[in-house]
PDB file of all heavy atoms in Angstrom:
ATOM      1  N   ASN A  11       1.092  -3.270  -3.742  1.00 95.00           N
ATOM      2  CA  ASN A  11       1.912  -4.370  -4.253  1.00 95.00           C
ATOM      3  C   ASN A  11       1.246  -5.660  -3.786  1.00 95.00           C
ATOM      4  O   ASN A  11       1.291  -5.972  -2.607  1.00 95.00           O
ATOM      5  CB  ASN A  11       3.344  -4.249  -3.708  1.00 95.00           C
ATOM      6  CG  ASN A  11       4.287  -5.183  -4.398  1.00 95.00           C
ATOM      7  OD1 ASN A  11       3.922  -5.916  -5.331  1.00 95.00           O
ATOM      8  ND2 ASN A  11       5.531  -5.255  -3.934  1.00 95.00           N
ATOM      9  N   TRP A  12       0.641  -6.344  -4.703  1.00 94.00           N
ATOM     10  CA  TRP A  12      -0.187  -7.506  -4.390  1.00 94.00           C
ATOM     11  C   TRP A  12       0.616  -8.675  -3.875  1.00 94.00           C
ATOM     12  O   TRP A  12       1.615  -9.065  -4.492  1.00 94.00           O
ATOM     13  CB  TRP A  12      -1.014  -7.911  -5.593  1.00 94.00           C
ATOM     14  CG  TRP A  12      -1.924  -9.091  -5.351  1.00 94.00           C
ATOM     15  CD1 TRP A  12      -2.686  -9.323  -4.243  1.00 94.00           C
ATOM     16  CD2 TRP A  12      -2.164 -10.176  -6.236  1.00 94.00           C
ATOM     17  NE1 TRP A  12      -3.390 -10.474  -4.386  1.00 94.00           N
ATOM     18  CE2 TRP A  12      -3.088 -11.054  -5.591  1.00 94.00           C
ATOM     19  CE3 TRP A  12      -1.744 -10.510  -7.505  1.00 94.00           C
ATOM     20  CZ2 TRP A  12      -3.608 -12.193  -6.176  1.00 94.00           C
ATOM     21  CZ3 TRP A  12      -2.191 -11.667  -8.092  1.00 94.00           C
ATOM     22  CH2 TRP A  12      -3.116 -12.493  -7.427  1.00 94.00           C
ATOM     23  N   ALA A  13       0.202  -9.226  -2.721  1.00 91.00           N
ATOM     24  CA  ALA A  13       0.792 -10.450  -2.126  1.00 91.00           C
ATOM     25  C   ALA A  13       2.296 -10.379  -2.013  1.00 91.00           C
ATOM     26  O   ALA A  13       3.003 -11.347  -2.277  1.00 91.00           O
ATOM     27  CB  ALA A  13       0.375 -11.670  -2.983  1.00 91.00           C
ATOM     28  N   ALA A  14       2.797  -9.214  -1.595  1.00 89.00           N
ATOM     29  CA  ALA A  14       4.243  -8.999  -1.568  1.00 89.00           C
ATOM     30  C   ALA A  14       4.918  -9.682  -0.381  1.00 89.00           C
ATOM     31  O   ALA A  14       6.114  -9.996  -0.461  1.00 89.00           O
ATOM     32  CB  ALA A  14       4.554  -7.490  -1.545  1.00 89.00           C
ATOM     33  N   ASP A  15       4.198  -9.873   0.723  1.00 90.00           N
ATOM     34  CA  ASP A  15       4.785 -10.448   1.923  1.00 90.00           C
ATOM     35  C   ASP A  15       4.970 -11.949   1.751  1.00 90.00           C
ATOM     36  O   ASP A  15       3.996 -12.706   1.555  1.00 90.00           O
ATOM     37  CB  ASP A  15       3.945 -10.147   3.143  1.00 90.00           C
ATOM     38  CG  ASP A  15       4.667 -10.384   4.461  1.00 90.00           C
ATOM     39  OD1 ASP A  15       5.158 -11.534   4.637  1.00 90.00           O
ATOM     40  OD2 ASP A  15       4.761  -9.447   5.246  1.00 90.00           O
ATOM     41  N   LEU A  16       6.151 -12.446   1.821  1.00 89.00           N
ATOM     42  CA  LEU A  16       6.449 -13.884   1.612  1.00 89.00           C
ATOM     43  C   LEU A  16       5.928 -14.728   2.755  1.00 89.00           C
ATOM     44  O   LEU A  16       5.726 -15.943   2.560  1.00 89.00           O
ATOM     45  CB  LEU A  16       7.945 -14.104   1.440  1.00 89.00           C
ATOM     46  CG  LEU A  16       8.618 -13.480   0.183  1.00 89.00           C
ATOM     47  CD1 LEU A  16      10.064 -13.813   0.170  1.00 89.00           C
ATOM     48  CD2 LEU A  16       7.936 -13.929  -1.083  1.00 89.00           C
ATOM     49  N   ASP A  17       5.725 -14.156   3.908  1.00 90.00           N
ATOM     50  CA  ASP A  17       5.310 -14.942   5.086  1.00 90.00           C
ATOM     51  C   ASP A  17       3.826 -15.195   5.120  1.00 90.00           C
ATOM     52  O   ASP A  17       3.359 -16.292   5.434  1.00 90.00           O
ATOM     53  CB  ASP A  17       5.766 -14.261   6.359  1.00 90.00           C
ATOM     54  CG  ASP A  17       7.288 -14.187   6.446  1.00 90.00           C
ATOM     55  OD1 ASP A  17       7.918 -15.239   6.307  1.00 90.00           O
ATOM     56  OD2 ASP A  17       7.824 -13.096   6.657  1.00 90.00           O
ATOM     57  N   ASP A  18       3.025 -14.156   4.862  1.00 92.00           N
ATOM     58  CA  ASP A  18       1.571 -14.357   4.954  1.00 92.00           C
ATOM     59  C   ASP A  18       0.813 -13.933   3.688  1.00 92.00           C
ATOM     60  O   ASP A  18      -0.416 -13.943   3.660  1.00 92.00           O
ATOM     61  CB  ASP A  18       0.995 -13.620   6.159  1.00 92.00           C
ATOM     62  CG  ASP A  18       1.338 -12.137   6.195  1.00 92.00           C
ATOM     63  OD1 ASP A  18       1.740 -11.605   5.095  1.00 92.00           O
ATOM     64  OD2 ASP A  18       1.257 -11.527   7.259  1.00 92.00           O
ATOM     65  N   ARG A  19       1.587 -13.486   2.662  1.00 93.00           N
ATOM     66  CA  ARG A  19       0.995 -13.061   1.353  1.00 93.00           C
ATOM     67  C   ARG A  19       0.042 -11.918   1.475  1.00 93.00           C
ATOM     68  O   ARG A  19      -0.859 -11.749   0.628  1.00 93.00           O
ATOM     69  CB  ARG A  19       0.325 -14.264   0.682  1.00 93.00           C
ATOM     70  CG  ARG A  19       1.305 -15.260   0.108  1.00 93.00           C
ATOM     71  CD  ARG A  19       2.224 -14.556  -0.889  1.00 93.00           C
ATOM     72  NE  ARG A  19       3.259 -15.441  -1.455  1.00 93.00           N
ATOM     73  CZ  ARG A  19       4.213 -15.044  -2.273  1.00 93.00           C
ATOM     74  NH1 ARG A  19       4.293 -13.773  -2.605  1.00 93.00           N
ATOM     75  NH2 ARG A  19       5.139 -15.895  -2.721  1.00 93.00           N
ATOM     76  N   LYS A  20       0.208 -11.065   2.483  1.00 94.00           N
ATOM     77  CA  LYS A  20      -0.552  -9.849   2.520  1.00 94.00           C
ATOM     78  C   LYS A  20       0.077  -8.813   1.635  1.00 94.00           C
ATOM     79  O   LYS A  20       1.285  -8.809   1.394  1.00 94.00           O
ATOM     80  CB  LYS A  20      -0.622  -9.343   3.975  1.00 94.00           C
ATOM     81  CG  LYS A  20      -1.508 -10.198   4.875  1.00 94.00           C
ATOM     82  CD  LYS A  20      -1.570  -9.625   6.273  1.00 94.00           C
ATOM     83  CE  LYS A  20      -2.469 -10.499   7.175  1.00 94.00           C
ATOM     84  NZ  LYS A  20      -2.515 -10.002   8.530  1.00 94.00           N
ATOM     85  N   SER A  21      -0.742  -7.906   1.122  1.00 95.00           N
ATOM     86  CA  SER A  21      -0.239  -6.865   0.218  1.00 95.00           C
ATOM     87  C   SER A  21       0.178  -5.620   0.952  1.00 95.00           C
ATOM     88  O   SER A  21      -0.141  -5.476   2.128  1.00 95.00           O
ATOM     89  CB  SER A  21      -1.365  -6.514  -0.816  1.00 95.00           C
ATOM     90  OG  SER A  21      -1.825  -7.697  -1.447  1.00 95.00           O
ATOM     91  N   THR A  22       0.850  -4.753   0.259  1.00 96.00           N
ATOM     92  CA  THR A  22       1.338  -3.491   0.846  1.00 96.00           C
ATOM     93  C   THR A  22       0.654  -2.340   0.170  1.00 96.00           C
ATOM     94  O   THR A  22       0.600  -2.242  -1.080  1.00 96.00           O
ATOM     95  CB  THR A  22       2.848  -3.344   0.657  1.00 96.00           C
ATOM     96  OG1 THR A  22       3.500  -4.435   1.312  1.00 96.00           O
ATOM     97  CG2 THR A  22       3.352  -2.031   1.261  1.00 96.00           C
ATOM     98  N   SER A  23       0.068  -1.430   0.953  1.00 97.00           N
ATOM     99  CA  SER A  23      -0.587  -0.223   0.450  1.00 97.00           C
ATOM    100  C   SER A  23       0.383   0.963   0.590  1.00 97.00           C
ATOM    101  O   SER A  23       1.163   1.026   1.522  1.00 97.00           O
ATOM    102  CB  SER A  23      -1.850   0.102   1.248  1.00 97.00           C
ATOM    103  OG  SER A  23      -2.801  -0.937   1.097  1.00 97.00           O
ATOM    104  N   GLY A  24       0.241   1.896  -0.348  1.00 97.00           N
ATOM    105  CA  GLY A  24       1.036   3.142  -0.240  1.00 97.00           C
ATOM    106  C   GLY A  24       0.297   4.273  -0.842  1.00 97.00           C
ATOM    107  O   GLY A  24      -0.411   4.112  -1.859  1.00 97.00           O
ATOM    108  N   TYR A  25       0.426   5.453  -0.226  1.00 97.00           N
ATOM    109  CA  TYR A  25      -0.123   6.636  -0.867  1.00 97.00           C
ATOM    110  C   TYR A  25       0.792   7.809  -0.573  1.00 97.00           C
ATOM    111  O   TYR A  25       1.570   7.827   0.390  1.00 97.00           O
ATOM    112  CB  TYR A  25      -1.548   6.936  -0.399  1.00 97.00           C
ATOM    113  CG  TYR A  25      -1.750   7.266   1.061  1.00 97.00           C
ATOM    114  CD1 TYR A  25      -1.322   8.472   1.601  1.00 97.00           C
ATOM    115  CD2 TYR A  25      -2.397   6.369   1.890  1.00 97.00           C
ATOM    116  CE1 TYR A  25      -1.510   8.768   2.955  1.00 97.00           C
ATOM    117  CE2 TYR A  25      -2.590   6.680   3.253  1.00 97.00           C
ATOM    118  CZ  TYR A  25      -2.174   7.850   3.747  1.00 97.00           C
ATOM    119  OH  TYR A  25      -2.341   8.155   5.065  1.00 97.00           O
ATOM    120  N   LEU A  26       0.695   8.833  -1.464  1.00 97.00           N
ATOM    121  CA  LEU A  26       1.510  10.027  -1.295  1.00 97.00           C
ATOM    122  C   LEU A  26       0.714  11.224  -1.821  1.00 97.00           C
ATOM    123  O   LEU A  26       0.098  11.115  -2.890  1.00 97.00           O
ATOM    124  CB  LEU A  26       2.817   9.896  -2.080  1.00 97.00           C
ATOM    125  CG  LEU A  26       3.773  11.088  -1.967  1.00 97.00           C
ATOM    126  CD1 LEU A  26       5.172  10.597  -1.663  1.00 97.00           C
ATOM    127  CD2 LEU A  26       3.805  11.872  -3.273  1.00 97.00           C
ATOM    128  N   PHE A  27       0.717  12.300  -1.056  1.00 97.00           N
ATOM    129  CA  PHE A  27       0.008  13.527  -1.498  1.00 97.00           C
ATOM    130  C   PHE A  27       1.036  14.639  -1.660  1.00 97.00           C
ATOM    131  O   PHE A  27       1.937  14.801  -0.825  1.00 97.00           O
ATOM    132  CB  PHE A  27      -1.018  13.954  -0.444  1.00 97.00           C
ATOM    133  CG  PHE A  27      -2.263  13.084  -0.433  1.00 97.00           C
ATOM    134  CD1 PHE A  27      -2.275  11.853   0.219  1.00 97.00           C
ATOM    135  CD2 PHE A  27      -3.409  13.474  -1.113  1.00 97.00           C
ATOM    136  CE1 PHE A  27      -3.380  11.047   0.209  1.00 97.00           C
ATOM    137  CE2 PHE A  27      -4.550  12.672  -1.118  1.00 97.00           C
ATOM    138  CZ  PHE A  27      -4.522  11.459  -0.448  1.00 97.00           C
ATOM    139  N   THR A  28       0.918  15.370  -2.749  1.00 94.00           N
ATOM    140  CA  THR A  28       1.839  16.475  -3.036  1.00 94.00           C
ATOM    141  C   THR A  28       1.072  17.779  -3.067  1.00 94.00           C
ATOM    142  O   THR A  28      -0.078  17.828  -3.508  1.00 94.00           O
ATOM    143  CB  THR A  28       2.579  16.247  -4.389  1.00 94.00           C
ATOM    144  OG1 THR A  28       1.628  16.262  -5.430  1.00 94.00           O
ATOM    145  CG2 THR A  28       3.347  14.954  -4.366  1.00 94.00           C
ATOM    146  N   PHE A  29       1.737  18.831  -2.674  1.00 91.00           N
ATOM    147  CA  PHE A  29       1.223  20.203  -2.762  1.00 91.00           C
ATOM    148  C   PHE A  29       2.369  21.075  -3.165  1.00 91.00           C
ATOM    149  O   PHE A  29       3.475  21.001  -2.636  1.00 91.00           O
ATOM    150  CB  PHE A  29       0.617  20.640  -1.391  1.00 91.00           C
ATOM    151  CG  PHE A  29      -0.048  21.998  -1.453  1.00 91.00           C
ATOM    152  CD1 PHE A  29      -1.214  22.165  -2.166  1.00 91.00           C
ATOM    153  CD2 PHE A  29       0.507  23.084  -0.802  1.00 91.00           C
ATOM    154  CE1 PHE A  29      -1.838  23.409  -2.209  1.00 91.00           C
ATOM    155  CE2 PHE A  29      -0.092  24.321  -0.855  1.00 91.00           C
ATOM    156  CZ  PHE A  29      -1.259  24.502  -1.566  1.00 91.00           C
ATOM    157  N   GLN A  30       2.075  21.998  -4.105  1.00 87.00           N
ATOM    158  CA  GLN A  30       3.147  22.797  -4.696  1.00 87.00           C
ATOM    159  C   GLN A  30       4.258  21.936  -5.299  1.00 87.00           C
ATOM    160  O   GLN A  30       5.426  22.287  -5.329  1.00 87.00           O
ATOM    161  CB  GLN A  30       3.788  23.751  -3.666  1.00 87.00           C
ATOM    162  CG  GLN A  30       2.837  24.775  -3.068  1.00 87.00           C
ATOM    163  CD  GLN A  30       2.654  25.977  -4.004  1.00 87.00           C
ATOM    164  OE1 GLN A  30       3.231  26.048  -5.082  1.00 87.00           O
ATOM    165  NE2 GLN A  30       1.797  26.912  -3.618  1.00 87.00           N
ATOM    166  N   GLY A  31       3.821  20.726  -5.747  1.00 85.00           N
ATOM    167  CA  GLY A  31       4.793  19.820  -6.378  1.00 85.00           C
ATOM    168  C   GLY A  31       5.742  19.163  -5.391  1.00 85.00           C
ATOM    169  O   GLY A  31       6.777  18.630  -5.760  1.00 85.00           O
ATOM    170  N   ARG A  32       5.373  19.206  -4.078  1.00 91.00           N
ATOM    171  CA  ARG A  32       6.207  18.620  -3.077  1.00 91.00           C
ATOM    172  C   ARG A  32       5.388  17.682  -2.144  1.00 91.00           C
ATOM    173  O   ARG A  32       4.233  17.925  -1.892  1.00 91.00           O
ATOM    174  CB  ARG A  32       6.873  19.695  -2.174  1.00 91.00           C
ATOM    175  CG  ARG A  32       7.749  20.690  -2.962  1.00 91.00           C
ATOM    176  CD  ARG A  32       8.990  20.005  -3.514  1.00 91.00           C
ATOM    177  NE  ARG A  32       9.933  20.911  -4.103  1.00 91.00           N
ATOM    178  CZ  ARG A  32       9.971  21.227  -5.390  1.00 91.00           C
ATOM    179  NH1 ARG A  32       9.057  20.714  -6.211  1.00 91.00           N
ATOM    180  NH2 ARG A  32      10.877  22.067  -5.870  1.00 91.00           N
ATOM    181  N   ALA A  33       5.994  16.639  -1.645  1.00 95.00           N
ATOM    182  CA  ALA A  33       5.274  15.666  -0.810  1.00 95.00           C
ATOM    183  C   ALA A  33       4.916  16.321   0.552  1.00 95.00           C
ATOM    184  O   ALA A  33       5.757  16.946   1.208  1.00 95.00           O
ATOM    185  CB  ALA A  33       6.179  14.453  -0.551  1.00 95.00           C
ATOM    186  N   VAL A  34       3.644  16.144   0.969  1.00 95.00           N
ATOM    187  CA  VAL A  34       3.212  16.685   2.256  1.00 95.00           C
ATOM    188  C   VAL A  34       2.650  15.565   3.138  1.00 95.00           C
ATOM    189  O   VAL A  34       2.489  15.756   4.338  1.00 95.00           O
ATOM    190  CB  VAL A  34       2.146  17.801   2.074  1.00 95.00           C
ATOM    191  CG1 VAL A  34       2.775  19.024   1.431  1.00 95.00           C
ATOM    192  CG2 VAL A  34       0.968  17.298   1.242  1.00 95.00           C
ATOM    193  N   SER A  35       2.323  14.430   2.555  1.00 97.00           N
ATOM    194  CA  SER A  35       1.810  13.299   3.332  1.00 97.00           C
ATOM    195  C   SER A  35       2.128  12.014   2.586  1.00 97.00           C
ATOM    196  O   SER A  35       1.979  11.934   1.381  1.00 97.00           O
ATOM    197  CB  SER A  35       0.283  13.442   3.507  1.00 97.00           C
ATOM    198  OG  SER A  35      -0.260  12.322   4.149  1.00 97.00           O
ATOM    199  N   TRP A  36       2.540  10.985   3.345  1.00 97.00           N
ATOM    200  CA  TRP A  36       2.872   9.704   2.714  1.00 97.00           C
ATOM    201  C   TRP A  36       2.669   8.601   3.706  1.00 97.00           C
ATOM    202  O   TRP A  36       2.748   8.784   4.920  1.00 97.00           O
ATOM    203  CB  TRP A  36       4.274   9.691   2.158  1.00 97.00           C
ATOM    204  CG  TRP A  36       5.358  10.096   3.159  1.00 97.00           C
ATOM    205  CD1 TRP A  36       6.040   9.288   4.032  1.00 97.00           C
ATOM    206  CD2 TRP A  36       5.891  11.427   3.375  1.00 97.00           C
ATOM    207  NE1 TRP A  36       6.943  10.015   4.758  1.00 97.00           N
ATOM    208  CE2 TRP A  36       6.852  11.327   4.391  1.00 97.00           C
ATOM    209  CE3 TRP A  36       5.621  12.669   2.814  1.00 97.00           C
ATOM    210  CZ2 TRP A  36       7.565  12.429   4.866  1.00 97.00           C
ATOM    211  CZ3 TRP A  36       6.306  13.767   3.285  1.00 97.00           C
ATOM    212  CH2 TRP A  36       7.277  13.631   4.292  1.00 97.00           C
ATOM    213  N   CYS A  37       2.433   7.389   3.182  1.00 97.00           N
ATOM    214  CA  CYS A  37       2.166   6.232   4.080  1.00 97.00           C
ATOM    215  C   CYS A  37       2.513   4.956   3.317  1.00 97.00           C
ATOM    216  O   CYS A  37       2.282   4.824   2.131  1.00 97.00           O
ATOM    217  CB  CYS A  37       0.681   6.228   4.481  1.00 97.00           C
ATOM    218  SG  CYS A  37       0.233   4.795   5.503  1.00 97.00           S
ATOM    219  N   CYS A  38       3.069   4.021   4.085  1.00 97.00           N
ATOM    220  CA  CYS A  38       3.309   2.670   3.590  1.00 97.00           C
ATOM    221  C   CYS A  38       2.840   1.714   4.677  1.00 97.00           C
ATOM    222  O   CYS A  38       3.316   1.820   5.822  1.00 97.00           O
ATOM    223  CB  CYS A  38       4.804   2.466   3.296  1.00 97.00           C
ATOM    224  SG  CYS A  38       5.279   0.738   2.972  1.00 97.00           S
ATOM    225  N   LYS A  39       1.952   0.813   4.344  1.00 95.00           N
ATOM    226  CA  LYS A  39       1.359  -0.071   5.391  1.00 95.00           C
ATOM    227  C   LYS A  39       0.963  -1.392   4.794  1.00 95.00           C
ATOM    228  O   LYS A  39       0.410  -1.485   3.712  1.00 95.00           O
ATOM    229  CB  LYS A  39       0.156   0.641   5.994  1.00 95.00           C
ATOM    230  CG  LYS A  39      -0.391  -0.079   7.232  1.00 95.00           C
ATOM    231  CD  LYS A  39      -1.552   0.729   7.817  1.00 95.00           C
ATOM    232  CE  LYS A  39      -2.119   0.060   9.070  1.00 95.00           C
ATOM    233  NZ  LYS A  39      -3.222   0.838   9.673  1.00 95.00           N
ATOM    234  N   ARG A  40       1.237  -2.440   5.553  1.00 94.00           N
ATOM    235  CA  ARG A  40       0.793  -3.769   5.156  1.00 94.00           C
ATOM    236  C   ARG A  40      -0.717  -3.879   5.356  1.00 94.00           C
ATOM    237  O   ARG A  40      -1.212  -3.486   6.390  1.00 94.00           O
ATOM    238  CB  ARG A  40       1.535  -4.838   5.904  1.00 94.00           C
ATOM    239  CG  ARG A  40       1.209  -6.251   5.444  1.00 94.00           C
ATOM    240  CD  ARG A  40       2.128  -7.283   6.079  1.00 94.00           C
ATOM    241  NE  ARG A  40       2.099  -7.257   7.524  1.00 94.00           N
ATOM    242  CZ  ARG A  40       2.596  -8.186   8.312  1.00 94.00           C
ATOM    243  NH1 ARG A  40       3.228  -9.186   7.770  1.00 94.00           N
ATOM    244  NH2 ARG A  40       2.544  -8.084   9.632  1.00 94.00           N
ATOM    245  N   GLN A  41      -1.422  -4.433   4.422  1.00 94.00           N
ATOM    246  CA  GLN A  41      -2.876  -4.535   4.521  1.00 94.00           C
ATOM    247  C   GLN A  41      -3.282  -5.562   5.588  1.00 94.00           C
ATOM    248  O   GLN A  41      -2.599  -6.564   5.782  1.00 94.00           O
ATOM    249  CB  GLN A  41      -3.453  -4.910   3.166  1.00 94.00           C
ATOM    250  CG  GLN A  41      -3.245  -3.803   2.099  1.00 94.00           C
ATOM    251  CD  GLN A  41      -3.801  -4.148   0.752  1.00 94.00           C
ATOM    252  OE1 GLN A  41      -4.326  -5.237   0.531  1.00 94.00           O
ATOM    253  NE2 GLN A  41      -3.701  -3.229  -0.148  1.00 94.00           N
ATOM    254  N   PRO A  42      -4.410  -5.330   6.278  1.00 91.00           N
ATOM    255  CA  PRO A  42      -4.784  -6.186   7.394  1.00 91.00           C
ATOM    256  C   PRO A  42      -5.278  -7.566   7.004  1.00 91.00           C
ATOM    257  O   PRO A  42      -5.246  -8.488   7.771  1.00 91.00           O
ATOM    258  CB  PRO A  42      -5.900  -5.412   8.085  1.00 91.00           C
ATOM    259  CG  PRO A  42      -6.453  -4.515   7.005  1.00 91.00           C
ATOM    260  CD  PRO A  42      -5.296  -4.179   6.107  1.00 91.00           C
ATOM    261  N   THR A  43      -5.770  -7.700   5.733  1.00 90.00           N
ATOM    262  CA  THR A  43      -6.256  -8.984   5.284  1.00 90.00           C
ATOM    263  C   THR A  43      -5.624  -9.357   3.947  1.00 90.00           C
ATOM    264  O   THR A  43      -5.062  -8.479   3.243  1.00 90.00           O
ATOM    265  CB  THR A  43      -7.794  -8.965   5.085  1.00 90.00           C
ATOM    266  OG1 THR A  43      -8.139  -7.890   4.173  1.00 90.00           O
ATOM    267  CG2 THR A  43      -8.484  -8.682   6.423  1.00 90.00           C
ATOM    268  N   VAL A  44      -5.672 -10.613   3.580  1.00 92.00           N
ATOM    269  CA  VAL A  44      -5.086 -11.070   2.322  1.00 92.00           C
ATOM    270  C   VAL A  44      -6.039 -10.721   1.177  1.00 92.00           C
ATOM    271  O   VAL A  44      -7.217 -11.048   1.194  1.00 92.00           O
ATOM    272  CB  VAL A  44      -4.868 -12.598   2.325  1.00 92.00           C
ATOM    273  CG1 VAL A  44      -4.341 -13.093   0.996  1.00 92.00           C
ATOM    274  CG2 VAL A  44      -3.871 -12.961   3.468  1.00 92.00           C
ATOM    275  N   ALA A  45      -5.501 -10.045   0.171  1.00 91.00           N
ATOM    276  CA  ALA A  45      -6.297  -9.692  -1.027  1.00 91.00           C
ATOM    277  C   ALA A  45      -6.289 -10.883  -1.984  1.00 91.00           C
ATOM    278  O   ALA A  45      -5.296 -11.512  -2.213  1.00 91.00           O
ATOM    279  CB  ALA A  45      -5.713  -8.460  -1.680  1.00 91.00           C
ATOM    280  N   LEU A  46      -7.441 -11.175  -2.563  1.00 88.00           N
ATOM    281  CA  LEU A  46      -7.605 -12.285  -3.444  1.00 88.00           C
ATOM    282  C   LEU A  46      -7.268 -11.968  -4.897  1.00 88.00           C
ATOM    283  O   LEU A  46      -7.291 -12.879  -5.742  1.00 88.00           O
ATOM    284  CB  LEU A  46      -9.008 -12.891  -3.326  1.00 88.00           C
ATOM    285  CG  LEU A  46      -9.419 -13.342  -1.934  1.00 88.00           C
ATOM    286  CD1 LEU A  46     -10.837 -13.949  -1.963  1.00 88.00           C
ATOM    287  CD2 LEU A  46      -8.442 -14.374  -1.381  1.00 88.00           C
ATOM    288  N   SER A  47      -7.015 -10.718  -5.165  1.00 89.00           N
ATOM    289  CA  SER A  47      -6.651 -10.298  -6.522  1.00 89.00           C
ATOM    290  C   SER A  47      -5.887  -8.967  -6.448  1.00 89.00           C
ATOM    291  O   SER A  47      -5.984  -8.267  -5.436  1.00 89.00           O
ATOM    292  CB  SER A  47      -7.912 -10.130  -7.395  1.00 89.00           C
ATOM    293  OG  SER A  47      -8.699  -9.083  -6.926  1.00 89.00           O
ATOM    294  N   SER A  48      -5.223  -8.659  -7.533  1.00 91.00           N
ATOM    295  CA  SER A  48      -4.516  -7.374  -7.567  1.00 91.00           C
ATOM    296  C   SER A  48      -5.498  -6.222  -7.554  1.00 91.00           C
ATOM    297  O   SER A  48      -5.220  -5.148  -6.943  1.00 91.00           O
ATOM    298  CB  SER A  48      -3.610  -7.279  -8.812  1.00 91.00           C
ATOM    299  OG  SER A  48      -4.412  -7.402  -9.998  1.00 91.00           O
ATOM    300  N   CYS A  49      -6.691  -6.425  -8.125  1.00 90.00           N
ATOM    301  CA  CYS A  49      -7.722  -5.388  -8.088  1.00 90.00           C
ATOM    302  C   CYS A  49      -8.145  -5.101  -6.656  1.00 90.00           C
ATOM    303  O   CYS A  49      -8.286  -3.946  -6.270  1.00 90.00           O
ATOM    304  CB  CYS A  49      -8.897  -5.852  -8.932  1.00 90.00           C
ATOM    305  SG  CYS A  49     -10.345  -4.755  -8.830  1.00 90.00           S
ATOM    306  N   GLU A  50      -8.353  -6.168  -5.872  1.00 90.00           N
ATOM    307  CA  GLU A  50      -8.741  -5.961  -4.474  1.00 90.00           C
ATOM    308  C   GLU A  50      -7.641  -5.246  -3.668  1.00 90.00           C
ATOM    309  O   GLU A  50      -7.913  -4.353  -2.865  1.00 90.00           O
ATOM    310  CB  GLU A  50      -9.080  -7.270  -3.829  1.00 90.00           C
ATOM    311  CG  GLU A  50      -9.571  -7.118  -2.379  1.00 90.00           C
ATOM    312  CD  GLU A  50      -9.890  -8.439  -1.730  1.00 90.00           C
ATOM    313  OE1 GLU A  50      -9.807  -9.506  -2.389  1.00 90.00           O
ATOM    314  OE2 GLU A  50     -10.236  -8.439  -0.516  1.00 90.00           O
ATOM    315  N   ALA A  51      -6.388  -5.623  -3.917  1.00 93.00           N
ATOM    316  CA  ALA A  51      -5.286  -4.982  -3.216  1.00 93.00           C
ATOM    317  C   ALA A  51      -5.249  -3.476  -3.528  1.00 93.00           C
ATOM    318  O   ALA A  51      -5.062  -2.666  -2.657  1.00 93.00           O
ATOM    319  CB  ALA A  51      -3.983  -5.663  -3.602  1.00 93.00           C
ATOM    320  N   GLU A  52      -5.403  -3.152  -4.811  1.00 94.00           N
ATOM    321  CA  GLU A  52      -5.399  -1.741  -5.207  1.00 94.00           C
ATOM    322  C   GLU A  52      -6.590  -1.000  -4.632  1.00 94.00           C
ATOM    323  O   GLU A  52      -6.508   0.142  -4.251  1.00 94.00           O
ATOM    324  CB  GLU A  52      -5.388  -1.647  -6.743  1.00 94.00           C
ATOM    325  CG  GLU A  52      -4.180  -2.172  -7.407  1.00 94.00           C
ATOM    326  CD  GLU A  52      -3.017  -1.182  -7.431  1.00 94.00           C
ATOM    327  OE1 GLU A  52      -3.189  -0.034  -6.926  1.00 94.00           O
ATOM    328  OE2 GLU A  52      -1.911  -1.567  -7.948  1.00 94.00           O
TER     329      GLU A  52
END
């Protein structure tokens, strides 16, 4: 989610892995640096 943080405009990363159609690993984390485009954030 590009530039989602209203305070410092850092983006949020997220990933999820599924096995047997069920989630086995997931993460949500604010990116350490400001992305200059949605492409860079992704």
Side-chain angles (χ1 to χ4, degrees):
N11 191 5
W12 181 41
D15 195 303
L16 295 180
D17 295 308
D18 55 18
R19 285 303 177 184
K20 290 181 179 178
S21 306
T22 300
S23 298
Y25 64 71
L26 181 133
F27 286 81
T28 63
F29 184 69
Q30 296 281 358
R32 301 293 188 267
V34 293
S35 176
W36 53 88
C37 177
C38 169
K39 188 176 182 180
R40 185 170 57 168
Q41 294 180 357
T43 57
V44 177
L46 301 182
S47 65
S48 59
C49 174
E50 182 181 357
E52 294 278 358

